[in-house]
Amino acid sequence: MATNRRLGVLISGRGSNLQAIIDAIAERRLDATIAVVISNQENAGGLDRARRAGIETVTLSHRGWASRDDYDRALVSELRRRDVGLVCLAGFMRKFGTPFIDGFPNAIINIHPSLLPSFPGLHAQQQALDHGVKASGVTVHFVTADLDAGPIIVQRTVPVRDDDTEETLAARILIEEHAAYPEAIALVLDGGWRIEGRRVIRSTTAAAV
Ligand code: GRF
């Protein structure tokens, strides 16, 4: 369970989900602080969004390390140095090994543009179109060693239209992503949940039933 409300946001690209988190905090819909934004790509557009919001940025390229584990350990050390309590992956295009996963137990979350467990990995929206599903959506989940497979925190659905392309479906899902990520972060930070098997169970929900 997250111990503090200091977020570390990891990006590789444009950072629209990062922006949604920045906006949610500014509008007091989310009680948190972004302690640092880390990108593995120096030209990631999200770095400018962070700088504009006055947030510290770090570029840590994944190239040139002796092993994936060494890179993972460097990431953990950057995050720990800033007392990060919850790590939010927001379009961070890297897989992690155990040094990273074990560095933040149940405190790394990811956003994925499909209703997991359907369509993990790259091009989730195109996968949904190719499969012919009539609804897709977004999933925010805890990160485990298996790709896009950890316990699910929040999902939102989006209809798939007959005339959708990968771009139009992705754009419609992205709107829901921007609502789902701050919602999931708030849920995790507020506590009162536990993980049973694959299920994230909220005590408040249990009490209300
Ligand atoms: C989003 O679709 C997210 O679900 C996926 O990567 C994309 C990142 O977009 N993991 P952005 O950089 O947040 O705009």
Short mmCIF file of all heavy atoms in Angstrom, two decimals, residues 43-107:
data_model
loop_
_atom_site.label_atom_id
_atom_site.label_comp_id
_atom_site.label_asym_id
_atom_site.label_seq_id
_atom_site.Cartn_x
_atom_site.Cartn_y
_atom_site.Cartn_z
N ASN A 43 13.70 13.54 -25.79
CA ASN A 43 12.82 14.44 -26.56
C ASN A 43 11.34 14.20 -26.26
O ASN A 43 10.48 14.63 -27.03
CB ASN A 43 13.09 14.29 -28.06
CG ASN A 43 12.91 12.85 -28.51
OD1 ASN A 43 12.67 11.98 -27.67
ND2 ASN A 43 13.01 12.60 -29.80
N ALA A 44 11.03 13.53 -25.18
CA ALA A 44 9.62 13.25 -24.85
C ALA A 44 8.87 14.56 -24.61
O ALA A 44 9.30 15.40 -23.81
CB ALA A 44 9.54 12.36 -23.60
N GLY A 45 7.74 14.73 -25.29
CA GLY A 45 6.95 15.95 -25.15
C GLY A 45 6.48 16.17 -23.72
O GLY A 45 6.31 17.30 -23.27
N GLY A 46 6.28 15.08 -22.99
CA GLY A 46 5.82 15.18 -21.61
C GLY A 46 6.78 15.93 -20.70
O GLY A 46 6.38 16.50 -19.69
N LEU A 47 8.07 15.94 -21.08
CA LEU A 47 9.05 16.67 -20.24
C LEU A 47 8.73 18.16 -20.23
O LEU A 47 8.85 18.82 -19.19
CB LEU A 47 10.47 16.42 -20.76
CG LEU A 47 11.01 15.00 -20.53
CD1 LEU A 47 12.32 14.81 -21.29
CD2 LEU A 47 11.22 14.74 -19.03
N ASP A 48 8.31 18.69 -21.38
CA ASP A 48 7.94 20.11 -21.44
C ASP A 48 6.69 20.39 -20.60
O ASP A 48 6.59 21.42 -19.95
CB ASP A 48 7.67 20.54 -22.89
CG ASP A 48 8.96 20.60 -23.69
OD1 ASP A 48 10.00 20.88 -23.08
OD2 ASP A 48 8.91 20.34 -24.90
N ARG A 49 5.75 19.46 -20.63
CA ARG A 49 4.54 19.64 -19.80
C ARG A 49 4.94 19.72 -18.33
O ARG A 49 4.41 20.56 -17.58
CB ARG A 49 3.60 18.45 -20.00
CG ARG A 49 3.04 18.29 -21.40
CD ARG A 49 2.16 17.05 -21.41
NE ARG A 49 1.71 16.63 -22.71
CZ ARG A 49 0.56 16.99 -23.28
NH1 ARG A 49 -0.24 17.84 -22.66
NH2 ARG A 49 0.20 16.51 -24.45
N ALA A 50 5.87 18.85 -17.92
CA ALA A 50 6.30 18.84 -16.52
C ALA A 50 7.00 20.15 -16.18
O ALA A 50 6.71 20.78 -15.15
CB ALA A 50 7.23 17.65 -16.27
N ARG A 51 7.90 20.58 -17.05
CA ARG A 51 8.66 21.82 -16.78
C ARG A 51 7.71 23.01 -16.68
O ARG A 51 7.86 23.85 -15.79
CB ARG A 51 9.69 22.05 -17.89
CG ARG A 51 10.84 21.06 -17.84
CD ARG A 51 11.93 21.42 -18.86
NE ARG A 51 12.81 20.27 -19.06
CZ ARG A 51 12.87 19.54 -20.18
NH1 ARG A 51 12.14 19.87 -21.23
NH2 ARG A 51 13.67 18.50 -20.27
N ARG A 52 6.72 23.04 -17.58
CA ARG A 52 5.75 24.16 -17.54
C ARG A 52 5.01 24.19 -16.20
O ARG A 52 4.60 25.24 -15.74
CB ARG A 52 4.74 24.01 -18.68
CG ARG A 52 5.19 24.59 -19.99
CD ARG A 52 4.01 24.88 -20.92
NE ARG A 52 3.30 23.67 -21.31
CZ ARG A 52 3.64 22.90 -22.33
NH1 ARG A 52 4.70 23.21 -23.05
NH2 ARG A 52 2.95 21.82 -22.63
N ALA A 53 4.83 23.01 -15.61
CA ALA A 53 4.11 22.94 -14.32
C ALA A 53 5.07 23.08 -13.15
O ALA A 53 4.67 22.95 -11.99
CB ALA A 53 3.35 21.61 -14.24
N GLY A 54 6.35 23.32 -13.44
CA GLY A 54 7.33 23.51 -12.36
C GLY A 54 7.73 22.23 -11.65
O GLY A 54 8.15 22.26 -10.49
N ILE A 55 7.62 21.13 -12.35
CA ILE A 55 7.95 19.82 -11.76
C ILE A 55 9.36 19.42 -12.19
O ILE A 55 9.75 19.59 -13.36
CB ILE A 55 6.94 18.76 -12.23
CG1 ILE A 55 5.53 19.12 -11.76
CG2 ILE A 55 7.34 17.37 -11.74
CD1 ILE A 55 4.43 18.34 -12.47
N GLU A 56 10.11 18.86 -11.25
CA GLU A 56 11.47 18.41 -11.57
C GLU A 56 11.42 17.29 -12.61
O GLU A 56 10.59 16.38 -12.51
CB GLU A 56 12.17 17.91 -10.31
CG GLU A 56 13.62 17.53 -10.59
CD GLU A 56 14.32 16.85 -9.43
OE1 GLU A 56 13.65 16.59 -8.40
OE2 GLU A 56 15.52 16.56 -9.57
N THR A 57 12.32 17.35 -13.58
CA THR A 57 12.40 16.29 -14.60
C THR A 57 13.78 15.64 -14.58
O THR A 57 14.78 16.29 -14.26
CB THR A 57 12.14 16.84 -16.01
OG1 THR A 57 13.15 17.81 -16.31
CG2 THR A 57 10.77 17.47 -16.13
N VAL A 58 13.78 14.38 -14.93
CA VAL A 58 15.03 13.63 -15.07
C VAL A 58 14.94 12.83 -16.36
O VAL A 58 13.91 12.21 -16.62
CB VAL A 58 15.24 12.65 -13.88
CG1 VAL A 58 16.42 11.73 -14.13
CG2 VAL A 58 15.39 13.40 -12.57
N THR A 59 15.98 12.90 -17.18
CA THR A 59 16.05 12.02 -18.35
C THR A 59 17.06 10.93 -18.03
O THR A 59 18.21 11.23 -17.70
CB THR A 59 16.49 12.79 -19.60
OG1 THR A 59 15.55 13.84 -19.84
CG2 THR A 59 16.51 11.87 -20.81
N LEU A 60 16.60 9.70 -18.08
CA LEU A 60 17.47 8.56 -17.76
C LEU A 60 17.34 7.58 -18.93
O LEU A 60 16.38 6.79 -18.98
CB LEU A 60 17.03 7.93 -16.44
CG LEU A 60 18.00 6.97 -15.77
CD1 LEU A 60 19.30 7.67 -15.39
CD2 LEU A 60 17.36 6.36 -14.52
N SER A 61 18.27 7.68 -19.85
CA SER A 61 18.20 6.80 -21.02
C SER A 61 18.42 5.35 -20.62
O SER A 61 19.21 5.05 -19.71
CB SER A 61 19.26 7.21 -22.05
OG SER A 61 19.30 6.26 -23.08
N HIS A 62 17.71 4.46 -21.31
CA HIS A 62 17.87 3.03 -21.02
C HIS A 62 19.08 2.46 -21.76
O HIS A 62 19.40 1.29 -21.60
CB HIS A 62 16.59 2.28 -21.43
CG HIS A 62 16.22 2.53 -22.85
ND1 HIS A 62 15.52 3.65 -23.25
CD2 HIS A 62 16.49 1.82 -23.98
CE1 HIS A 62 15.36 3.61 -24.57
NE2 HIS A 62 15.93 2.52 -25.03
N ARG A 63 19.73 3.29 -22.58
CA ARG A 63 20.86 2.79 -23.35
C ARG A 63 22.16 2.88 -22.55
O ARG A 63 22.30 3.75 -21.71
CB ARG A 63 21.04 3.63 -24.63
CG ARG A 63 19.87 3.51 -25.57
CD ARG A 63 20.09 4.40 -26.79
NE ARG A 63 18.81 4.80 -27.35
CZ ARG A 63 18.05 4.04 -28.13
NH1 ARG A 63 18.45 2.82 -28.42
NH2 ARG A 63 16.90 4.47 -28.58
N GLY A 64 23.06 1.95 -22.85
CA GLY A 64 24.40 2.05 -22.29
C GLY A 64 24.58 1.39 -20.93
O GLY A 64 25.65 1.48 -20.34
N TRP A 65 23.55 0.72 -20.41
CA TRP A 65 23.70 0.03 -19.13
C TRP A 65 24.16 -1.40 -19.38
O TRP A 65 23.83 -1.99 -20.41
CB TRP A 65 22.38 0.02 -18.36
CG TRP A 65 21.90 1.41 -18.05
CD1 TRP A 65 21.17 2.22 -18.84
CD2 TRP A 65 22.17 2.15 -16.86
NE1 TRP A 65 20.94 3.44 -18.24
CE2 TRP A 65 21.55 3.42 -17.02
CE3 TRP A 65 22.86 1.89 -15.67
CZ2 TRP A 65 21.61 4.40 -16.04
CZ3 TRP A 65 22.92 2.86 -14.69
CH2 TRP A 65 22.30 4.10 -14.89
N ALA A 66 24.89 -1.94 -18.42
CA ALA A 66 25.39 -3.31 -18.59
C ALA A 66 24.25 -4.31 -18.65
O ALA A 66 24.33 -5.32 -19.34
CB ALA A 66 26.35 -3.65 -17.44
N SER A 67 23.16 -4.02 -17.94
CA SER A 67 22.03 -4.95 -17.93
C SER A 67 20.75 -4.18 -17.64
O SER A 67 20.79 -3.04 -17.16
CB SER A 67 22.22 -6.02 -16.84
OG SER A 67 22.10 -5.40 -15.57
N ARG A 68 19.63 -4.83 -17.93
CA ARG A 68 18.32 -4.23 -17.62
C ARG A 68 18.21 -3.97 -16.11
O ARG A 68 17.67 -2.95 -15.68
CB ARG A 68 17.22 -5.19 -18.05
CG ARG A 68 15.81 -4.65 -17.83
CD ARG A 68 14.78 -5.72 -18.03
NE ARG A 68 14.71 -6.21 -19.40
CZ ARG A 68 14.03 -5.59 -20.37
NH1 ARG A 68 13.36 -4.50 -20.11
NH2 ARG A 68 14.01 -6.08 -21.58
N ASP A 69 18.72 -4.91 -15.31
CA ASP A 69 18.65 -4.75 -13.85
C ASP A 69 19.39 -3.50 -13.39
O ASP A 69 18.94 -2.81 -12.46
CB ASP A 69 19.22 -5.98 -13.15
CG ASP A 69 18.23 -7.15 -13.16
OD1 ASP A 69 17.13 -7.00 -13.74
OD2 ASP A 69 18.57 -8.21 -12.60
N ASP A 70 20.51 -3.20 -14.02
CA ASP A 70 21.26 -2.00 -13.64
C ASP A 70 20.43 -0.75 -13.90
O ASP A 70 20.40 0.19 -13.10
CB ASP A 70 22.58 -1.89 -14.43
CG ASP A 70 23.63 -2.83 -13.90
OD1 ASP A 70 23.41 -3.42 -12.82
OD2 ASP A 70 24.66 -3.00 -14.57
N TYR A 71 19.74 -0.74 -15.05
CA TYR A 71 18.88 0.40 -15.36
C TYR A 71 17.74 0.50 -14.35
O TYR A 71 17.42 1.58 -13.84
CB TYR A 71 18.32 0.27 -16.79
CG TYR A 71 17.43 1.42 -17.18
CD1 TYR A 71 17.95 2.70 -17.35
CD2 TYR A 71 16.07 1.23 -17.36
CE1 TYR A 71 17.13 3.76 -17.71
CE2 TYR A 71 15.24 2.29 -17.72
CZ TYR A 71 15.79 3.56 -17.89
OH TYR A 71 14.98 4.61 -18.23
N ASP A 72 17.14 -0.63 -14.06
CA ASP A 72 16.06 -0.67 -13.06
C ASP A 72 16.53 -0.09 -11.73
O ASP A 72 15.83 0.69 -11.09
CB ASP A 72 15.61 -2.12 -12.82
CG ASP A 72 14.62 -2.61 -13.86
OD1 ASP A 72 14.52 -1.96 -14.91
OD2 ASP A 72 13.97 -3.63 -13.62
N ARG A 73 17.72 -0.51 -11.30
CA ARG A 73 18.23 -0.04 -10.01
C ARG A 73 18.47 1.47 -10.03
O ARG A 73 18.23 2.16 -9.03
CB ARG A 73 19.53 -0.79 -9.64
CG ARG A 73 19.24 -2.17 -9.03
CD ARG A 73 20.52 -2.81 -8.47
NE ARG A 73 21.27 -3.49 -9.52
CZ ARG A 73 21.10 -4.77 -9.85
NH1 ARG A 73 20.25 -5.52 -9.17
NH2 ARG A 73 21.80 -5.32 -10.81
N ALA A 74 18.92 1.97 -11.16
CA ALA A 74 19.14 3.43 -11.27
C ALA A 74 17.80 4.18 -11.16
O ALA A 74 17.71 5.22 -10.49
CB ALA A 74 19.82 3.75 -12.59
N LEU A 75 16.76 3.62 -11.78
CA LEU A 75 15.43 4.24 -11.68
C LEU A 75 14.95 4.25 -10.23
O LEU A 75 14.46 5.27 -9.73
CB LEU A 75 14.43 3.44 -12.52
CG LEU A 75 14.29 3.75 -14.00
CD1 LEU A 75 13.29 2.79 -14.62
CD2 LEU A 75 13.85 5.19 -14.22
N VAL A 76 15.10 3.10 -9.58
CA VAL A 76 14.66 3.00 -8.17
C VAL A 76 15.38 4.04 -7.34
O VAL A 76 14.78 4.71 -6.50
CB VAL A 76 14.89 1.57 -7.62
CG1 VAL A 76 14.70 1.53 -6.11
CG2 VAL A 76 13.98 0.58 -8.31
N SER A 77 16.67 4.20 -7.60
CA SER A 77 17.44 5.13 -6.77
C SER A 77 17.00 6.58 -7.02
O SER A 77 16.88 7.37 -6.07
CB SER A 77 18.92 4.85 -6.99
OG SER A 77 19.61 5.97 -7.34
N GLU A 78 16.70 6.94 -8.27
CA GLU A 78 16.20 8.30 -8.55
C GLU A 78 14.86 8.54 -7.83
O GLU A 78 14.61 9.63 -7.30
CB GLU A 78 16.00 8.52 -10.06
CG GLU A 78 17.27 8.51 -10.88
CD GLU A 78 18.14 9.75 -10.65
OE1 GLU A 78 17.67 10.72 -10.04
OE2 GLU A 78 19.31 9.71 -11.08
N LEU A 79 14.01 7.54 -7.83
CA LEU A 79 12.68 7.69 -7.21
C LEU A 79 12.79 7.74 -5.69
O LEU A 79 12.15 8.56 -5.02
CB LEU A 79 11.78 6.52 -7.65
CG LEU A 79 11.42 6.55 -9.15
CD1 LEU A 79 10.93 5.19 -9.63
CD2 LEU A 79 10.36 7.62 -9.42
N ARG A 80 13.63 6.86 -5.12
CA ARG A 80 13.80 6.83 -3.65
C ARG A 80 14.39 8.13 -3.14
O ARG A 80 14.01 8.64 -2.08
CB ARG A 80 14.74 5.68 -3.27
CG ARG A 80 14.11 4.32 -3.43
CD ARG A 80 14.07 3.56 -2.08
NE ARG A 80 13.39 2.30 -2.23
CZ ARG A 80 14.00 1.16 -2.54
NH1 ARG A 80 15.30 1.13 -2.69
NH2 ARG A 80 13.31 0.05 -2.67
N ARG A 81 15.34 8.66 -3.92
CA ARG A 81 16.02 9.90 -3.52
C ARG A 81 15.01 11.03 -3.33
O ARG A 81 15.23 11.97 -2.60
CB ARG A 81 17.03 10.27 -4.62
CG ARG A 81 17.98 11.36 -4.25
CD ARG A 81 18.98 11.61 -5.37
NE ARG A 81 19.69 10.40 -5.75
CZ ARG A 81 20.29 10.20 -6.93
NH1 ARG A 81 20.26 11.13 -7.84
NH2 ARG A 81 20.92 9.09 -7.17
N ARG A 82 13.89 10.92 -4.03
CA ARG A 82 12.85 11.96 -3.94
C ARG A 82 11.67 11.52 -3.11
O ARG A 82 10.61 12.12 -3.16
CB ARG A 82 12.42 12.38 -5.35
CG ARG A 82 13.55 13.10 -6.07
CD ARG A 82 13.34 13.18 -7.55
NE ARG A 82 14.48 13.88 -8.17
CZ ARG A 82 15.59 13.27 -8.59
NH1 ARG A 82 15.72 11.96 -8.47
NH2 ARG A 82 16.58 13.97 -9.12
N ASP A 83 11.88 10.43 -2.37
CA ASP A 83 10.87 9.95 -1.42
C ASP A 83 9.52 9.67 -2.11
O ASP A 83 8.45 10.01 -1.58
CB ASP A 83 10.70 10.96 -0.28
CG ASP A 83 9.88 10.39 0.86
OD1 ASP A 83 9.87 9.16 1.04
OD2 ASP A 83 9.21 11.18 1.56
N VAL A 84 9.59 9.07 -3.28
CA VAL A 84 8.35 8.73 -4.01
C VAL A 84 7.65 7.55 -3.33
O VAL A 84 8.28 6.56 -2.97
CB VAL A 84 8.70 8.40 -5.48
CG1 VAL A 84 7.56 7.66 -6.17
CG2 VAL A 84 9.06 9.68 -6.23
N GLY A 85 6.33 7.69 -3.16
CA GLY A 85 5.54 6.63 -2.55
C GLY A 85 4.75 5.81 -3.56
O GLY A 85 4.39 4.67 -3.29
N LEU A 86 4.44 6.41 -4.72
CA LEU A 86 3.67 5.70 -5.74
C LEU A 86 4.25 6.04 -7.11
O LEU A 86 4.40 7.22 -7.45
CB LEU A 86 2.19 6.09 -5.70
CG LEU A 86 1.27 5.39 -6.71
CD1 LEU A 86 1.18 3.89 -6.43
CD2 LEU A 86 -0.13 6.01 -6.70
N VAL A 87 4.58 5.00 -7.86
CA VAL A 87 5.15 5.18 -9.20
C VAL A 87 4.04 4.99 -10.23
O VAL A 87 3.34 3.97 -10.23
CB VAL A 87 6.27 4.15 -9.46
CG1 VAL A 87 6.88 4.37 -10.85
CG2 VAL A 87 7.35 4.24 -8.38
N CYS A 88 3.86 5.99 -11.09
CA CYS A 88 2.80 5.94 -12.11
C CYS A 88 3.45 5.87 -13.49
O CYS A 88 4.12 6.81 -13.91
CB CYS A 88 1.94 7.20 -12.02
SG CYS A 88 1.21 7.47 -10.41
N LEU A 89 3.25 4.75 -14.17
CA LEU A 89 3.75 4.62 -15.53
C LEU A 89 2.73 5.23 -16.47
O LEU A 89 1.55 4.85 -16.44
CB LEU A 89 3.97 3.14 -15.89
CG LEU A 89 4.80 2.32 -14.89
CD1 LEU A 89 4.98 0.90 -15.41
CD2 LEU A 89 6.13 2.98 -14.62
N ALA A 90 3.15 6.19 -17.27
CA ALA A 90 2.21 6.90 -18.14
C ALA A 90 2.82 6.92 -19.55
O ALA A 90 3.43 7.90 -19.96
CB ALA A 90 1.96 8.31 -17.62
N GLY A 91 2.67 5.78 -20.25
CA GLY A 91 3.26 5.67 -21.57
C GLY A 91 4.76 5.45 -21.50
O GLY A 91 5.49 5.89 -22.38
N PHE A 92 5.22 4.76 -20.46
CA PHE A 92 6.65 4.45 -20.32
C PHE A 92 6.91 3.13 -21.05
O PHE A 92 6.37 2.09 -20.65
CB PHE A 92 7.02 4.34 -18.84
CG PHE A 92 8.51 4.24 -18.60
CD1 PHE A 92 9.34 5.32 -18.88
CD2 PHE A 92 9.07 3.09 -18.06
CE1 PHE A 92 10.71 5.24 -18.65
CE2 PHE A 92 10.43 3.01 -17.82
CZ PHE A 92 11.25 4.09 -18.11
N MET A 93 7.67 3.22 -22.14
CA MET A 93 7.78 2.08 -23.05
C MET A 93 8.96 1.18 -22.70
O MET A 93 9.86 0.94 -23.51
CB MET A 93 7.93 2.59 -24.50
CG MET A 93 6.79 3.48 -24.94
SD MET A 93 5.20 2.64 -24.90
CE MET A 93 5.33 1.70 -26.40
N ARG A 94 8.96 0.67 -21.48
CA ARG A 94 10.01 -0.25 -21.06
C ARG A 94 9.39 -1.34 -20.20
O ARG A 94 8.45 -1.08 -19.45
CB ARG A 94 11.06 0.47 -20.18
CG ARG A 94 11.83 1.54 -20.86
CD ARG A 94 12.90 1.01 -21.77
NE ARG A 94 13.85 0.15 -21.07
CZ ARG A 94 14.66 -0.70 -21.68
NH1 ARG A 94 14.62 -0.81 -22.98
NH2 ARG A 94 15.49 -1.45 -20.99
N LYS A 95 9.95 -2.55 -20.32
CA LYS A 95 9.55 -3.62 -19.39
C LYS A 95 10.47 -3.55 -18.19
O LYS A 95 11.60 -3.09 -18.29
CB LYS A 95 9.70 -4.98 -20.06
CG LYS A 95 8.64 -5.29 -21.08
CD LYS A 95 8.81 -6.73 -21.52
CE LYS A 95 8.10 -6.96 -22.83
NZ LYS A 95 8.54 -8.19 -23.49
N PHE A 96 9.98 -4.05 -17.05
CA PHE A 96 10.79 -4.00 -15.84
C PHE A 96 11.17 -5.39 -15.38
O PHE A 96 10.45 -6.36 -15.61
CB PHE A 96 10.01 -3.34 -14.70
CG PHE A 96 9.74 -1.90 -14.95
CD1 PHE A 96 8.46 -1.46 -15.20
CD2 PHE A 96 10.78 -0.98 -14.96
CE1 PHE A 96 8.21 -0.13 -15.45
CE2 PHE A 96 10.54 0.35 -15.22
CZ PHE A 96 9.25 0.78 -15.46
N GLY A 97 12.29 -5.47 -14.67
CA GLY A 97 12.69 -6.71 -14.01
C GLY A 97 12.41 -6.60 -12.52
O GLY A 97 11.85 -5.61 -12.05
N THR A 98 12.83 -7.62 -11.79
CA THR A 98 12.53 -7.66 -10.36
C THR A 98 13.13 -6.52 -9.54
O THR A 98 12.50 -6.10 -8.57
CB THR A 98 12.95 -9.01 -9.74
OG1 THR A 98 14.22 -9.34 -10.27
CG2 THR A 98 11.95 -10.10 -10.05
N PRO A 99 14.32 -5.97 -9.87
CA PRO A 99 14.81 -4.87 -9.03
C PRO A 99 13.83 -3.71 -8.97
O PRO A 99 13.69 -3.05 -7.93
CB PRO A 99 16.11 -4.44 -9.72
CG PRO A 99 16.56 -5.63 -10.48
CD PRO A 99 15.31 -6.34 -10.91
N PHE A 100 13.14 -3.46 -10.06
CA PHE A 100 12.18 -2.35 -10.04
C PHE A 100 10.89 -2.75 -9.34
O PHE A 100 10.40 -2.04 -8.45
CB PHE A 100 11.89 -1.89 -11.48
CG PHE A 100 11.18 -0.57 -11.51
CD1 PHE A 100 11.88 0.60 -11.34
CD2 PHE A 100 9.81 -0.51 -11.68
CE1 PHE A 100 11.23 1.83 -11.34
CE2 PHE A 100 9.16 0.70 -11.70
CZ PHE A 100 9.87 1.87 -11.52
N ILE A 101 10.35 -3.91 -9.72
CA ILE A 101 9.08 -4.37 -9.14
C ILE A 101 9.23 -4.51 -7.61
O ILE A 101 8.36 -4.08 -6.86
CB ILE A 101 8.66 -5.75 -9.73
CG1 ILE A 101 8.68 -5.71 -11.26
CG2 ILE A 101 7.33 -6.21 -9.18
CD1 ILE A 101 7.57 -4.99 -11.92
N ASP A 102 10.33 -5.11 -7.18
CA ASP A 102 10.53 -5.33 -5.74
C ASP A 102 10.86 -4.03 -5.01
O ASP A 102 10.71 -3.94 -3.80
CB ASP A 102 11.65 -6.35 -5.50
CG ASP A 102 11.26 -7.73 -6.01
OD1 ASP A 102 10.08 -7.91 -6.37
OD2 ASP A 102 12.14 -8.62 -6.06
N GLY A 103 11.32 -3.04 -5.77
CA GLY A 103 11.68 -1.76 -5.15
C GLY A 103 10.48 -0.99 -4.64
O GLY A 103 10.58 -0.20 -3.70
N PHE A 104 9.32 -1.23 -5.25
CA PHE A 104 8.09 -0.52 -4.86
C PHE A 104 6.93 -1.52 -4.79
O PHE A 104 6.06 -1.53 -5.67
CB PHE A 104 7.78 0.60 -5.86
CG PHE A 104 8.74 1.74 -5.78
CD1 PHE A 104 9.88 1.76 -6.57
CD2 PHE A 104 8.54 2.79 -4.89
CE1 PHE A 104 10.79 2.80 -6.49
CE2 PHE A 104 9.44 3.83 -4.79
CZ PHE A 104 10.56 3.84 -5.59
N PRO A 105 6.89 -2.35 -3.74
CA PRO A 105 5.86 -3.39 -3.69
C PRO A 105 4.45 -2.80 -3.67
O PRO A 105 4.14 -1.92 -2.85
CB PRO A 105 6.16 -4.13 -2.37
CG PRO A 105 7.49 -3.64 -1.93
CD PRO A 105 7.77 -2.34 -2.59
N ASN A 106 3.60 -3.28 -4.58
CA ASN A 106 2.21 -2.79 -4.71
C ASN A 106 2.16 -1.26 -4.79
O ASN A 106 1.20 -0.65 -4.32
CB ASN A 106 1.35 -3.26 -3.55
CG ASN A 106 1.00 -4.73 -3.67
OD1 ASN A 106 1.13 -5.29 -4.74
ND2 ASN A 106 0.56 -5.33 -2.59
N ALA A 107 3.16 -0.67 -5.35
CA ALA A 107 3.19 0.79 -5.44
C ALA A 107 3.69 1.25 -6.80
O ALA A 107 4.27 2.33 -6.93
CB ALA A 107 4.05 1.37 -4.32
#
